[in-house]
Amino acid sequence: MRRLPIADSFRVLGLNTVRDRLLAILFVALLPAGLLAFQSARDIVERRERLIDQIVMDQAMTAIQAESRAVALARGMLLAINPNAVSEPRDCPANFSQIRTTLPDILSLAVWNEEAEQICASPQVSRPVLLSQSFPELLAVMRERKSTMAGYVPQNFSGHAVVFVAEPHFDSRGRLVGASSLGYSVEGVLARLSKGQHGYSFSVALVDSSGQVVARRGDFENQALPSRSLLRANMATDAQGFRDRDHAFALVPYHHPDLYVLVHADLPNGHWRDELVAGLSVASPVLMMVLTLVLVWIATDFLLVRPLATVTRTAAAYVARERPSATPELANAPEEIRRLDESLRTMAEVLVGREKVLSQALEDEKALLRELHHRVKNNLQMIISLLAMQARDIDSGPAKASLLLAQQRVYVLSQVHQQLYASGQLAAVRIDGLVADLIRNVLSVQMSGTAQEAGVEVALQLEAVSVPADYAVPLAFIATEALVSALETVADRPSVQIFVRLSYDPEGRVRFTLDVPNGLTDEVADAMPRLISAFCQQLGGEILRPPPF
């Protein structure tokens, strides 16, 4: 079955457990919903910010409209004052009283001629001061503008900080003949501008044409204000809204381009709750995803991982040859896992029973096979005894030699079965000990007194070699037949030494070597019977001769 790419992806990412993979799948499934919820929360926060921006702008426009009407009314009253008609200082108080009946917030009135000399003022002062800059400069600006000016005075001759409105007066030929000004209480102006609506209070500040804040009220007393460059950038003939350090501001002209009003909405006393709600609105999708993943982690651990671990222990108990017992830990596990555990325990019990039956059958088979080898060996011993009795009845000649050879070959079979019976191993048998016994038997039977007198000596160099049981008989016959053939070939040669070796070659194959020095190896090889070739072919081996010199 072809593996799905997602399985390979899990493996590459190191997600090897069921719990990890479930969490990964759930995370991928929740990710789109989390992103949508996060975007919705951000939209809510942005709508809230836009609402605050709109509230600030509405407050600024509402507050400045009332002030604009008061400024327009003041200009109308100032236009009614003709500097040429004001001849005495007492004329100002009369005009001042008349103006205050309409504009009660007026603190001061002053009139100047075209030479920037004060004609009169109310209240009376000996040395009136209007602005930090000289009044002749203001007259010069008004002469150039031909329009009204407004500004801020930290303390004028009334003894208060005032916002003034100065109106130039021109004759019929357009020549500046003087100016008159009214001073408003700064505190009164700021109080009217900060009067809130929509349930909010507002901080207000007066900003001059250079961007300098000259007076403030509300949170502006403790709050960082926008930079002068930012304020100058938003100075225009109409209201401008902007944000600075995540705060909403509105800058509206009190009198363009001389004086502006900066407005900022102060959050209610519980503003931290609004900020908390806004923060939670953005963070809640992430928190919900994390909480969901944690709950799934816990649920998976209790409902899946731990029951599966118990089932794994059941399987491990079977592997350890222990009888799996009932697992009360799975009483609250899902039904599928309880069925799996029950199936595993049932399967383990069945397998244990079958294994016992198979083990007993194997033991019976081994015992039967050992008994079979034992009886075959006994029968072969009986055949050897019969052949020996028959050979004793024959004095000499080919018949006696044939009986002795037959006896020897039956002895080989008998020794193989004896080795299999004694070792108890049915799959493999140690062939080195078997070969040593067979060679000793051949020497005892084949070496006559003449051979012993000739000085024939056999040297054994046998390593520990194991072969399958099926290979034992052919190898045993190859060893005995080769030695018998070698002994018959060199029987009449003086002082001959035969080397018999058994070992593994570098490729792990079994190598049997019969070496006769003094150039007799080829002669011995030529005398080898065809029986050796047949057994070698049966084993899939080959006969190697020494290279010629």
Side-chain angles (χ1 to χ4, degrees):
M1 182 177 178
R2 184 180 178 184
R3 297 179 64 189
L4 296 176
I6 190 172
D8 292 333
S9 301
F10 282 139
R11 179 177 54 80
V12 171
L13 294 174
L15 303 175
N16 298 319
T17 64
V18 175
R19 177 169 52 194
D20 293 341
R21 296 187 178 188
L22 284 177
L23 288 175
I25 294 173
L26 182 62
F27 176 78
V28 173
L30 291 178
L31 186 59
L35 293 177
L36 290 176
F38 183 77
Q39 184 61 40
S40 299
R42 287 199 59 182
D43 291 342
I44 292 174
V45 173
E46 290 177 357
R47 285 198 297 271
R48 178 178 178 274
E49 291 179 350
R50 288 195 296 270
L51 177 61
I52 293 176
D53 294 345
Q54 187 61 44
I55 289 173
V56 172
M57 185 61 71
D58 291 346
Q59 168 64 19
M61 295 302 296
T62 301
I64 205 63
Q65 285 175 2
E67 287 300 312
S68 297
R69 288 192 296 268
V71 171
L73 184 58
R75 287 186 60 196
M77 292 184 174
L78 290 176
L79 287 172
I81 299 176
N82 187 350
N84 293 330
V86 179
S87 58
E88 297 182 5
R90 66 175 178 272
D91 293 334
C92 274
N95 290 311
F96 181 65
S97 298
Q98 182 180 359
I99 293 173
R100 290 199 67 178
T101 58
T102 305
L103 299 172
D105 293 335
I106 297 298
L107 294 180
S108 62
L109 170 65
V111 180
W112 287 266
N113 60 20
E114 72 275 13
E115 302 298 332
E117 297 174 349
Q118 180 177 295
I119 301 174
C120 68
S122 181
Q124 294 287 339
V125 291
S126 59
R127 188 179 179 183
V129 177
L130 182 61
L131 288 172
S132 58
Q133 60 196 102
S134 64
F135 196 74
E137 294 176 359
L138 295 176
L139 284 178
V141 173
M142 286 189 288
R143 182 182 290 108
E144 180 180 355
R145 282 191 192 173
K146 298 185 183 300
S147 64
T148 309
M149 285 191 65
Y152 167 79
V153 180
Q155 182 177 359
N156 77 339
F157 51 84
S158 67
H160 300 85
V162 298
V163 174
F164 74 90
V165 176
E167 184 68 28
H169 298 277
F170 299 91
D171 59 14
S172 59
R173 292 178 297 178
R175 185 175 62 87
L176 182 66
V177 297
S180 56
S181 68
L182 292 175
Y184 292 87
S185 167
V186 170
E187 289 297 325
V189 172
L190 294 177
R192 289 192 299 274
L193 290 173
S194 62
K195 186 177 181 181
Q197 56 182 347
H198 304 289
Y200 288 89
S201 61
F202 294 85
S203 298
V204 294
L206 295 177
V207 183
D208 62 17
S209 58
S210 67
Q212 177 68 40
V213 174
V214 295
R216 65 184 74 181
R217 179 186 177 91
D219 281 352
F220 278 153
E221 297 178 358
N222 302 313
Q223 177 180 310
L225 293 167
S227 64
R228 296 177 65 175
S229 60
L230 182 60
L231 291 174
R232 286 197 303 270
N234 286 278
M235 290 178 178
T237 58
D238 55 352
Q240 299 293 320
F242 62 94
R243 279 190 166 268
D244 183 39
R245 294 185 293 274
D246 204 30
H247 291 283
F249 297 95
L251 189 66
V252 293
Y254 186 88
H255 186 274
H256 180 75
D258 303 317
L259 200 60
Y260 297 84
V261 178
L262 180 65
V263 181
H264 170 258
D266 303 329
L267 295 176
N269 293 333
H271 68 277
W272 59 271
R273 297 187 183 92
D274 293 341
E275 296 295 334
L276 178 61
V277 170
L280 290 177
S281 299
V282 176
S284 57
V286 178
L287 294 177
M288 290 177 62
M289 286 187 63
V290 172
L291 181 61
T292 302
L293 293 176
V294 170
L295 292 177
V296 170
W297 178 282
I298 296 174
T300 305
D301 185 68
F302 279 96
L303 298 179
L304 187 60
V305 175
R306 294 189 182 184
L308 284 177
T310 303
V311 173
T312 303
R313 287 195 296 272
T314 300
Y318 167 72
V319 173
R321 305 297 181 183
E322 299 176 1
R323 185 179 183 84
S325 58
T327 50
E329 299 92 336
L330 297 180
N332 298 321
E335 182 178 356
E336 294 82 358
I337 295 181
R338 285 188 277 111
R339 288 180 179 177
L340 176 61
D341 179 68
E342 182 178 354
S343 300
L344 282 177
R345 286 189 288 106
T346 303
M347 181 181 68
E349 292 175 358
V350 171
L351 290 176
V352 168
R354 291 179 179 178
E355 186 177 3
K356 289 182 177 180
V357 173
L358 291 175
S359 298
Q360 185 61 43
L362 182 60
E363 290 297 326
D364 293 343
E365 183 179 352
K366 287 181 179 179
L368 180 60
L369 193 56
R370 284 196 298 269
E371 182 64 21
L372 177 61
H373 285 300
H374 181 61
R375 294 195 178 192
V376 168
K377 186 211 41 141
N378 290 339
N379 291 334
L380 291 175
Q381 288 291 344
M382 185 177 293
I383 294 173
I384 293 171
S385 299
L386 292 174
L387 290 173
M389 291 172 59
Q390 188 68 30
R392 282 195 297 269
D393 293 338
I394 300 175
D395 295 332
S396 61
K400 184 177 181 68
S402 297
L403 287 174
L404 291 176
L405 180 60
Q407 179 185 355
Q408 178 182 304
R409 288 174 177 173
V410 173
Y411 178 78
V412 171
L413 292 175
S414 173
Q415 286 301 103
V416 171
H417 285 281
Q418 170 66 23
Q419 184 77 9
L420 292 173
Y421 167 74
S423 66
Q425 299 293 328
L426 302 180
V429 61
R430 283 282 296 273
I431 195 68
D432 52 300
L434 177 61
V435 169
D437 291 340
L438 293 175
I439 289 177
R440 282 192 290 268
N441 179 71
V442 169
L443 293 175
S444 64
V445 173
Q446 293 292 330
M447 292 184 64
S448 62
T450 304
Q452 294 176 358
E453 293 176 359
V456 177
E457 182 181 354
V458 178
L460 300 180
Q461 297 177 358
L462 307 177
E463 296 182 4
V465 176
S466 296
V467 297
D470 294 341
Y471 289 9
V473 171
L475 278 174
F477 271 109
I478 289 174
T480 55
E481 293 295 327
L483 183 60
V484 169
S485 178
L487 290 174
E488 290 176 352
T489 303
V490 302
D492 57 346
R493 303 295 177 88
S495 302
V496 176
Q497 187 176 25
I498 300 175
F499 292 94
V500 178
R501 300 183 183 92
L502 182 68
S503 62
Y504 289 108
D505 68 4
E507 296 180 0
R509 296 177 299 183
V510 177
R511 179 185 292 272
F512 175 79
T513 305
L514 190 144
D515 186 14
V516 183
N518 302 324
L520 297 176
T521 301
D522 286 339
E523 184 177 346
V524 171
D526 293 336
M528 291 291 175
R530 286 179 298 178
L531 186 62
I532 294 178
S533 299
F535 280 125
C536 188
Q537 186 176 3
Q538 178 182 347
L539 294 175
E542 57 182 337
I543 299 175
L544 301 177
R545 293 173 178 266
F549 293 100

